Every structure is written in C-alpha cells, then in structure tokens.
C-alpha cells in the first residue's frame, strides 16, 4: 500500500494496482489503491492484462492513452495507463499499474521515471520481505519439529499436540471464530502445535512416570507452560501462540496456572486450546487410568462450564459433538487394560 500510495502521488494517478509473479510466473494482485481489490484485479489483470504481460516480458515500462468509452465513468474505463516493472537484478518480480480518468491528463515521461525509481526501491523491499518470510518459515518448521520430538519423548502422549490442534480447529469452526481473519487461524493452529513445547524442560522421570505425580513432580510438570513461553518469547513473529503456550492450563474461574488468569483476562483462542487440551487428556489412556469415552468427557466439559472452561467454548464443544463434527481422533493405546475412571481432575497432557 505504501508503494502504491507513493506511485499514485508521484504520477497524479487516481487508481493504482500492484501485482507480483507467483512461482509459475502468473501475476497475482497484491494490493489496490483508490478502488476495491476486485475492481483493481479486473482493471490491471483483465483490461490491462496484455499491457502487464508485455511489461513483464520486456522489462520496460509502457504508457498508453486509452480509447475511453463516452459517458462511462467506471473504474474500468481509464483515459490513460502507466505500467512499470518491479525489477530486481534484471528479473521482473511484478508490476505497478496506474490509471487516470480525467480527459487530457495523460502520464508523462517524468511520471514514468519517478514511478520506475519507486518500483526499483520497492523491489528491494519485496525481496527482503520474502527472505524474512522464508527465514520465519524455517524457524517455525524447526519449532514444530521440536514440539513433535517433545511429544515423542512420552509414548503415552505421542501425537498429543496434533490432536489438540485438530480439536481446537473443530471448536473454533463451531464458534465461527475470526471469520474474516485467516492469519488468526494460522496463529491458532500454530499455537496448538507448539503449546507443549516447554515439556522439553521437564525431566524424563516426571514426564514418563507411569503412575500419578507427587505434588513436587506436579510442580515440575506445571513449569512447562512458562518454560515454553520463555523459549519462544524472543521470536517476534509469534503473538497469539505465546499466549496459548503460557495459558493453556488456566481455568475460567482463575484457579489454573501459571498466572491464575480468569474470564476475560485471556482471549478466546486461549480458552479454545485449553478445552481441546483437556478433551485429548480425558480421552487418552494413561498407565493408571483408561481414557474416558467422548460422551463422558463432554459431560465433564458441560459440568466445568463457567469454572474450568469458558462457557461459550463449552457450548461449542457440546454442539460440535452432538452434530458429529467433533469425534475422538484414534490413537494406539499403550495400556488398553488400564482401570476406568469417572472424574475429571485437571489432567496434565
């Protein structure tokens, strides 16, 4: 948007479009100025598609006066257009496409030169952004691999983070969570996958203990929330994920850990993962007790609404189970003969 605003100001253009080439060389609109996204796409890649293709192929800017239709004042009826390549090291990355609608107000060579210079600067910024994104993806992939390795340390919870993530996504869909914010869904999913990464700091003797934990051992287990938060807190690309890692064992009534936060002190995504974590803990076998059926687990969620669980999340869990959207994800039991239990006692998964 900054590139487009600068280009429009430098050339007195009324509408601007910026498109970048994908891996297959196809131009994809990334932003529009002075109009909505759909109109910008139709203007630059539809009506102006031949011009843009020519600019991408030649690497040279194109200025043209258009044969505008009389009495048509729509954004798809420009009087003049200017298309400039965004080029880095001699390779076109994309184009800036500008349009004017006032009769007699055509683009000039000065406009072309100014926008070309701006596009050259933009190319460097775009390349740096792509390199930064690539680096982020490598870091996040490494973190997810580490989280999977942590899960694998304990054979009784292998695959736990993946199951929690899937349960969380089902609950979120049931709640119509962030319908217009795809990035929020990415953060929710990533938070689910990373939520137990702090267990890397829990001793094997505690993590793999076949029986119930002593109070001292339970304190060591509880530390995984803050250990995970401390491991990840230096990564600026993580936001919601940090809250999930730290707070997935908080309770709605404030009796959870580590910060005893309650109610509206935490965002909804934290309560969603908290419920998903508890569902997997309740339905998974342990050496000392058999996993609950989904029906029993849902009853525990219902009884815990307003105390352990956010009421809206608890309702979403019950609705998702009733509709068949939420089902238990199959897993191999290490202790199929473990004794059955009936009560939900804040399991640590």
């Amino acid at each position: 948007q900054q590139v487009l605003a600068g280009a429009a100001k430098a050339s007195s253009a009324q509408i601007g479009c910026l498109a970048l080439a994908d891996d297959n060389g196809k131009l994809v609109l990334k932003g529009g100025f002075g109009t909505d996204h759909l109109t910008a796409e139709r203007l630059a890649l539809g009506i102006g598609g031949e011009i843009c293709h020519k600019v991408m192929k030649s690497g040279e800017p194109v200025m043209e006066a258009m044969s505008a239709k009389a009495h048509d004042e729509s954004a798809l009826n420009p009087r003049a257009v200017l298309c400039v390549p965004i080029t880095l090291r001699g390779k076109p990355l994309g184009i800036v496409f500008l349009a004017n609608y006032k009769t007699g107000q055509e683009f000039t060579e000065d406009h072309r030169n100014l926008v070309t210079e701006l596009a050259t600067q933009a190319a460097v910024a775009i390349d740096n952004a792509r390199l930064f994104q690539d680096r982020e993806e490598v870091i996040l992939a490494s973190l997810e691999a580490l989280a999977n390795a942590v899960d694998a340390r304990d054979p009784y919870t292998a695959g736990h983070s993946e199951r929690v993530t899937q349960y969380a996504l089902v609950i979120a869909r049931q709640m119509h969570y962030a319908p217009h914010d795809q990035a929020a869904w990415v953060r929710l999913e990533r938070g689910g996958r990373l939520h137990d990464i702090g267990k890397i700091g829990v001793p094997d003797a505690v993590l793999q203990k076949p029986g119930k934990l002593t109070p001292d051992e339970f304190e060591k287990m509880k530390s995984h929330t803050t250990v995970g938060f401390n491991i990840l807190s230096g990564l600026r690309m993580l936001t919601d994920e940090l809250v999930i890692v730290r707070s997935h064992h908080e309770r709605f009534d404030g009796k959870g850990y580590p910060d005893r936060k309650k109610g509206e002190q935490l965002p909804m995504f934290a309560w969603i993962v908290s419920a998903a974590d508890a569902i997997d803990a309740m339905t998974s076998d342990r050496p000392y007790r058999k996993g609950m059926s989904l029906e029993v687990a849902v009853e525990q969620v219902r009884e815990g609404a307003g105390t352990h669980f956010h009421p809206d999340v608890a309702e979403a869990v019950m609705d998702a189970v009733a509709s068949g959207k939420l089902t238990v994800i199959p897993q191999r039991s290490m202790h199929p003969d473990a004794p059955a239990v009936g009560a939900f006692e804040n399991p640590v998964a």
Side-chain angles (χ1 to χ4, degrees):
Q1 295 305 318
Q2 291 176 343
V3 171
L4 288 174
K9 183 177 180 180
S11 62
S12 301
Q14 292 162 289
I15 287 181
C17 314
L18 190 149
L20 297 177
D22 64 12
D23 293 338
N24 298 316
K26 180 183 177 182
L27 284 172
V28 178
L29 190 76
K30 296 296 183 180
F33 176 85
T35 189
D36 62 272
H37 186 92
L38 180 60
T39 301
E41 187 172 53
R42 291 175 63 192
L43 175 65
L45 305 184
I47 294 173
E50 187 176 340
I51 294 174
C52 294
H53 178 74
K54 180 180 178 181
V55 169
M56 286 292 292
K57 187 175 182 180
S58 68
E60 298 293 332
V62 170
M63 288 191 303
E64 284 193 11
M66 309 293 286
S67 299
K69 299 176 184 177
H71 309 298
D72 182 354
E73 297 182 357
S74 73
L76 302 178
N77 188 34
R79 266 64 174 175
V81 297
L82 169 61
C83 187
V84 172
I86 301 173
T87 305
L88 182 70
R89 293 185 288 273
K91 179 183 177 182
L93 304 178
I95 54 90
V96 174
F97 186 92
L98 304 168
N100 263 328
Y101 296 83
K102 294 180 182 179
T103 303
Q105 190 171 331
E106 298 178 357
F107 294 105
T108 67
E109 290 188 8
D110 285 342
H111 293 149
R112 182 191 62 193
N113 294 338
L114 284 169
V115 176
T116 298
E117 177 60 30
L118 186 60
T120 300
Q121 296 175 21
V124 176
I126 290 167
D127 190 51
N128 287 340
R130 286 176 168 174
L131 291 172
F132 184 78
Q133 183 178 7
D134 290 344
R135 187 186 70 172
E136 280 192 350
E137 289 174 356
V138 169
I139 291 172
L140 292 169
S142 300
L143 289 173
E144 290 187 9
L146 177 60
N148 290 336
V150 170
D151 265 5
R153 285 176 63 206
D154 181 0
Y156 309 116
T157 60
H160 166 69
S161 294
E162 177 60 29
R163 294 192 300 274
V164 168
T165 302
Q166 296 308 314
Y167 291 142
L169 292 175
V170 171
I171 296 168
R173 283 192 288 270
Q174 183 67 39
M175 298 182 72
H176 303 290
Y177 173 73
H180 305 297
D181 187 357
Q182 184 58 38
W185 284 86
V186 172
R187 295 192 296 270
L188 173 66
E189 183 172 357
R190 201 155 53 201
R193 297 187 193 284
L194 298 176
H195 80 281
D196 267 351
I197 198 169
K199 285 184 179 177
I200 194 173
V202 177
D204 284 345
V206 174
L207 193 65
Q208 300 174 6
K209 184 176 179 179
K212 288 189 175 182
L213 302 179
T214 66
D216 182 59
E217 290 169 337
F218 186 54
E219 288 301 313
K220 288 186 173 69
M221 181 67 83
K222 286 164 62 176
S223 71
H224 78 275
T225 55
T226 51
V227 169
F229 176 84
N230 291 336
I231 289 172
L232 301 177
S233 59
L235 301 176
R236 288 182 295 175
M237 78 280 283
L238 300 181
T239 54
D240 299 359
E241 300 92 338
L242 293 176
V243 178
I244 289 170
V245 168
R246 187 178 183 94
S247 302
H248 64 276
H249 281 292
E250 298 289 359
R251 288 173 46 122
F252 192 76
D253 60 8
K255 296 181 180 179
Y257 63 88
D259 303 310
R260 301 182 70 83
K261 289 187 176 181
K262 60 182 180 180
E264 303 309 315
Q265 292 178 327
L266 286 173
M268 190 61 71
F269 57 76
W271 295 122
I272 289 173
V273 175
S274 173
D277 188 54
I279 289 169
D280 189 62
M282 289 188 286
T283 57
S284 298
D285 287 355
R286 295 291 185 272
Y288 51 87
R289 56 101 173 143
K290 191 173 182 61
M292 299 177 186
S293 69
L294 183 59
E295 292 73 22
V296 173
V298 169
E299 181 61 21
Q300 297 297 321
V301 172
R302 187 190 67 78
E303 292 181 4
T307 54
H308 195 104
F309 304 106
H310 192 295
D312 294 344
V313 175
E315 182 179 1
V317 169
M318 292 184 285
D319 290 345
V321 171
S323 66
K325 296 174 183 175
L326 196 158
T327 58
V328 172
I329 298 173
Q331 53 182 293
R332 185 170 67 91
S333 174
M334 299 293 294
H335 283 270
D337 299 324
V341 296
F344 171 46
E345 298 179 354
N346 188 21
V348 177

